[in-house]
Structures are given as structure tokens and as C-alpha cells.
């Protein structure tokens, strides 16, 4: 006998079977499934679907409403465009959510968001397996099952954007930021979540202050002060970014470059920062140079800015990739040849602006802080070109 909204109901075997089928398919407990099927009876005519299929739509409709509420809460709590009184209330709720934990897992909210993003990927794969399998095993109309697969993918991107807002506008603790780094190190660039979390990490590590913006400089100094106060975290973060392997060299290069810019800023503005992090300016320049050679520029233009790729840029990037692949073949390298990055056409205008702003700040900081490295790399490239031309004439 299922209990729905605190009240026990006597139901038919058909209802029980429908609730169990919904529970198995959506991977939810049977009490929630029973509640959804019971509620969905009143939506059959509106949706022109059976109760079980209507329950699927209700389930995702309610989840979408909760996600929208969370997004509005976190964005509003940090927005200067919101009434001060309302903003204060939203900020208080946001702070309470960020400081909450689940007793069983003792994980903070941002870590739970990351875990959910990963879990939803597994659920989407299982739904796809149902669609790819025997048609007799598809529990509902194919269109409904395809809707579930699509919604799971959309939820992952919405959660990634929620995490982006939290990282941009609120202060993550050390374990939360390290969890984002770990995700990106092992993540696939084919996953649209990776793009969003990559931008979030670049924002978290950003220390742009070259334009004379006092507010930006104060924010950068706050980040350095936070790292100096928690030197153990500084060492762990450096190890996670620099010492551990990454699944994509270009993405690794972009993050390395941003980290090098932060480290150099810290050394210039906070006495003793080099001792805390364990290396000096020459090592920072070496990290930045390696980052560029790993493909930081190609990742930035072909991946992060993929939504801006034009026909002319497509030709240039393809030509550049051909040269890189030839160089890799000529040196008999055991590393895999570089490939083109995927381009996503669902990047919102707000995220596009944030990507462009973040990369502009990175370039300004790179030029302002590492001009000597830029000159040296340019001279080395000119020498290499000259030597190649000489070799061709022999």
C-alpha cells in the first residue's frame, strides 16, 4: 500500500506496476514514483499521454523548476541590479545552501553539484543504451524516452552553469576548487560541461588588474591573500594543476598559463609567496612557455571561442593543425597527433561574454607580466624559421 503525501492509498496492481516501472526507469524510489503516477492521472488529457508517461514529464518539469529557482537565487544574491533588500535575503539563502552538508557524505553543495553532473552522465548513457537496444525493452513511447535523454543532458549543462555562477560570485573552499580541477584534468573536451567548468576555473584563478581597474585589482589581491593564509591549499592546488596528468594538452596549457599569471602576480604583490609555492619567477616563465607550446592558444581559439569560428578562421585553424600534425610525424613522437576541438552552438550570450572577457584579461595579463618571455619566444621562432629556410636551400 503506497503512502502518498502522508496518506495511505489502496491501489490496483496496474498502478503498482506502473509505479515500479517509473521507479526503475528514472532511478528514483518507489514512493516518489507512486506520487508522480498519482499526480499524473490529472494530466493525461493535457499531455495526451498515459499516466506513466505523463509522470515522466512531471518529474522533469519539477526538476527544471528547482534548477531555475537555484539559479535565480545565486545570481540574484550577487547582482547589483537587484533591490538591496531582496539581494540581502537571496545572499543569505545562498550562503546557507553553500555551507550545508549531507550528513552521510559530508560534502558541501558545490561538490554535490559536481557529483550530480557525473551521475546524470551515467543515467544518460543508460537511457541511450535502452534506445539502442531491443525496441521491446523501451518502457515508454520512443519520443518520451528520447525526451528523457535530452533533459538529462540539459540538466548537466544547467548544473554546470549554476556552478559557474557560484565560482564567479562566491568563495569556494579548498576542497571544492580542487574538485573542479580534478574534473577538468580527467574530463573530455567533447563534454559540453567541460567547456563551462573550464571557464569557471579560469575565472576562479584570474588575477587581471592591468587595466587600472581598482575593483579588479582588489579582487585579485583578495585571491592571493586567501592562498597565502592557507599555504597548504596553495601547495595542493599547484600540485593538482602542474604535477598531475591532464587528458587534453591544450586545456592543460590554458589552465597552466592562468596559474602562471596568478603565481607571478602573487610573487610581485605578496612577499614570501614564492617560498610558499616552492619556486621562483624563472620557473613561472618556464610553466608559461610550456603552456603556450602545449596549445593554450589553439584551445582558446578553437575550443573556448568555438562559437565565434568563421569560415576564414576555420581555414586558418585547419592549416595550423596540419602543420602541427606534420611536425609531430617528422619528430617520430609517441604522443597522439593533435585534433580539432568540438564546437558547441548552445553557448548562451552571457557565457559568450564571460569567455571573451576572461580571455581578454588573460592576454592583457600575459603581455603586461611576461613581455620578456614573449620576446624570447618570438626570437626563438624566428631563428627556427631561418634555420628551416637554410636547410631547404641545401
Amino acid at each position: 500500500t503506497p503512502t502518498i503525501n502522508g496518506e495511505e492509498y489502496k491501489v490496483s496492481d496496474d498502478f503498482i506496476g506502473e509505479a515500479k516501472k517509473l521507479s526503475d526507469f528514472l532511478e528514483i524510489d518507489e514512493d516518489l514514483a507512486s506520487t508522480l503516477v498519482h499526480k499524473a492521472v490529472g494530466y493525461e488529457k493535457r499531455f495526451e499521454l498515459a499516466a506513466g508517461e505523463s509522470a515522466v514529464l512531471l518529474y522533469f518539469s519539477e526538476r527544471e523548476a528547482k534548477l531555475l529557482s537555484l539559479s535565480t537565487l545565486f545570481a540574484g544574491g550577487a547582482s547589483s541590479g537587484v533591490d538591496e533588500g531582496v539581494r540581502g535575503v537571496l545572499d543569505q539563502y545562498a550562503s546557507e545552501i553553500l555551507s550545508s552538508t549531507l550528513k552521510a557524505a559530508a560534502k558541501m553543495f558545490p561538490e554535490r553539484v559536481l557529483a550530480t553532473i557525473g551521475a546524470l552522465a551515467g543515467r544518460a548513457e543508460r537511457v541511450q543504451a535502452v534506445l539502442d537496444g531491443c525496441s521491446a525493452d523501451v518502457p515508454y513511447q520512443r519520443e518520451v524516452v528520447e525526451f528523457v535523454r535530452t533533459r538529462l543532458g540539459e540538466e548537466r549543462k544547467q548544473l554546470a552553469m549554476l556552478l559557474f555562477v557560484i565560482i564567479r560570485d562566491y568563495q569556494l573552499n579548498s576542497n571544492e576548487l580542487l574538485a573542479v580541477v580534478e574534473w577538468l584534468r580527467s574530463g573530455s573536451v567533447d563534454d559540453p560541461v567541460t567547456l563551462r567548468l573550464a571557464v569557471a576555473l579560469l575565472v576562479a584563478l584570474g588575477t587581471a588588474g592591468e587595466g587600472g581597474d581598482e575593483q579588479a585589482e582588489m579582487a585579485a589581491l583578495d585571491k592571493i591573500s586567501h592562498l597565502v593564509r592557507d599555504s597548504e591549499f596553495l601547495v595542493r592546488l599547484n600540485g593538482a594543476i602542474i604535477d598531475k596528468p591532464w587528458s587534453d594538452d591544450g586545456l592543460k596549457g590554458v589552465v597552466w598559463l592562468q596559474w602562471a599569471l596568478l603565481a607571478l602576480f602573487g610573487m610581485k604583490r605578496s612577499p614570501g609567496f614564492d617560498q610558499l609555492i616552492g619556486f621562483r619567477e624563472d620557473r613561472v616563465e618556464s610553466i608559461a612557455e610550456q603552456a603556450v607550446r602545449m596549445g593554450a592558444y589553439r584551445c582558446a581559439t578553437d575550443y573556448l571561442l568555438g562559437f565565434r569560428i568563421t569560415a576564414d578562421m576555420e581555414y586558418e585553424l585547419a592549416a595550423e593543425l596540419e602543420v602541427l600534425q606534420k611536425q609531430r610525424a617528422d619528430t617520430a613522437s609517441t604522443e597522439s597527433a593533435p585534433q580539432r576541438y568540438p564546437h558547441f552552438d548552445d553557448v548562451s550570450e552571457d557565457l559568450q561574454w564571460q569567455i571573451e572577457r576572461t580571455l581578454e584579461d588573460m592576454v592583457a595579463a600575459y603581455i603586461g607580466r611576461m613581455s620578456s618571455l614573449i620576446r624570447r619566444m618570438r626570437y626563438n621562432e624566428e631563428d627556427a624559421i631561418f634555420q628551416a629556410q637554410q636547410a631547404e636551400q641545401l
Side-chain angles (χ1 to χ4, degrees):
T1 303
T3 301
I4 301 173
N5 295 329
E7 183 178 350
E8 287 191 355
Y9 282 79
K10 291 184 178 180
V11 294
S12 65
D13 290 342
D14 288 343
F15 181 96
I16 294 173
E18 199 65 53
K20 287 184 175 180
K21 182 168 73 170
L22 185 69
S23 171
D24 291 340
F25 179 59
L26 293 181
E27 301 180 17
I28 58 178
D29 64 66
E30 292 184 2
D31 285 342
L32 175 57
S34 298
T35 301
L36 287 168
V37 173
H38 175 73
K39 185 177 181 180
V41 172
Y43 286 84
E44 288 179 299
K45 291 184 179 179
R46 183 188 302 182
F47 293 159
E48 297 182 349
L49 293 170
E53 294 173 330
S54 296
V56 171
L57 269 60
L58 284 176
Y59 171 77
F60 283 102
S61 175
E62 293 183 7
R63 286 175 66 90
E64 186 173 14
K66 290 178 181 178
L67 267 175
L68 180 60
S69 297
L70 284 169
S71 299
T72 301
L73 188 153
F74 281 106
S79 174
S80 59
V82 175
D83 175 79
E84 185 176 353
V86 175
R87 185 170 70 248
V89 173
L90 294 177
D91 182 61
Q92 180 181 350
Y93 279 125
S95 298
E96 290 176 1
I97 292 172
L98 289 174
S99 62
S100 67
T101 61
L102 293 177
K103 292 182 180 180
K107 287 186 176 181
M108 305 296 281
F109 181 75
E111 291 180 273
R112 301 204 301 273
V113 172
L114 266 179
T116 301
I117 290 173
L120 290 176
R123 288 178 62 182
E125 289 175 359
R126 290 189 285 277
V127 172
Q128 185 61 55
V130 170
L131 289 168
D132 294 340
C134 176
S135 58
D137 295 332
V138 179
Y140 302 109
Q141 291 185 49
R142 193 171 186 85
E143 292 78 5
V144 173
V145 179
E146 289 174 345
F147 165 80
V148 171
R149 178 196 58 195
T150 300
R151 277 304 310 159
L152 290 171
E154 289 301 313
E155 280 190 12
R156 295 182 73 245
K157 289 185 285 189
Q158 289 172 331
L159 285 168
M161 284 306 301
L162 175 63
L163 196 55
F164 169 81
V165 170
I166 292 172
I167 292 172
R168 183 190 62 190
D169 298 332
Y170 299 85
Q171 180 72 56
L172 292 186
N173 68 33
S174 56
N175 288 334
E176 293 163 352
L177 191 56
L178 285 168
V180 174
V181 175
E182 291 301 316
W183 173 281
L184 289 173
R185 283 199 316 100
S186 58
S188 169
V189 291
D190 293 317
D191 186 346
V193 169
T194 300
L195 173 71
R196 289 157 175 81
L197 293 187
V199 180
L201 181 60
L202 293 178
V203 170
L205 301 178
T207 53
E210 273 68 23
D213 186 334
E214 291 186 9
Q215 186 175 358
E217 185 169 358
M218 288 301 298
L221 288 171
D222 284 344
K223 290 180 183 180
I224 298 302
S225 298
H226 174 69
L227 291 172
V228 169
R229 288 195 302 270
D230 190 353
S231 58
E232 182 183 348
F233 169 51
L234 173 62
V235 173
R236 290 172 63 201
L237 186 57
N238 179 72
I241 292 173
I242 301 298
D243 298 334
K244 294 184 179 181
W246 288 67
S247 60
D248 183 81
D249 281 346
L251 182 58
K252 175 183 179 181
V254 172
V255 176
W256 270 37
L257 183 57
Q258 187 75 314
W259 181 243
L261 293 170
L262 179 147
L264 190 58
F265 183 82
M267 291 175 187
K268 298 288 188 183
R269 304 301 296 273
S270 179
F273 188 90
D274 54 349
Q275 296 177 359
L276 293 175
I277 200 171
F279 50 79
R280 299 184 182 279
E281 289 188 26
D282 56 344
R283 171 61 174 152
V284 174
E285 285 203 354
S286 175
I287 290 171
E289 183 173 357
Q290 291 179 72
V292 174
R293 299 193 186 285
M294 283 174 196
Y297 170 78
R298 192 170 68 85
C299 179
T301 54
D302 195 20
Y303 184 57
L304 299 180
L305 292 171
F307 58 88
R308 291 183 55 182
I309 299 296
T310 62
D312 289 341
M313 292 179 66
E314 185 73 35
Y315 175 80
E316 292 176 6
L317 289 167
E320 179 187 351
L321 182 65
E322 186 178 348
V323 171
L324 290 173
Q325 291 174 330
K326 185 177 185 303
Q327 289 175 344
R328 190 67 56 86
D330 290 344
T331 57
S333 173
T334 58
E335 299 178 15
S336 59
Q339 303 296 324
R340 287 297 301 277
Y341 283 100
H343 300 154
F344 302 109
D345 57 6
D346 58 352
V347 180
S348 68
E349 290 186 3
D350 287 344
L351 183 57
Q352 288 181 25
W353 181 88
Q354 188 66 67
I355 292 172
E356 292 170 350
R357 173 68 181 274
T358 301
L359 293 177
E360 285 174 2
D361 289 344
M362 279 186 68
V363 170
Y366 181 50
I367 294 172
R369 299 174 195 175
M370 297 189 173
S371 56
S372 60
L373 171 63
I374 295 172
R375 285 195 299 270
R376 188 174 74 248
M377 291 184 68
R378 187 186 68 190
Y379 294 151
N380 290 341
E381 289 178 1
E382 290 174 352
D383 288 344
I385 293 172
F386 177 75
Q387 291 175 11
Q389 291 173 341
Q390 292 292 100
E392 290 178 357
Q393 294 175 2
L394 295 177

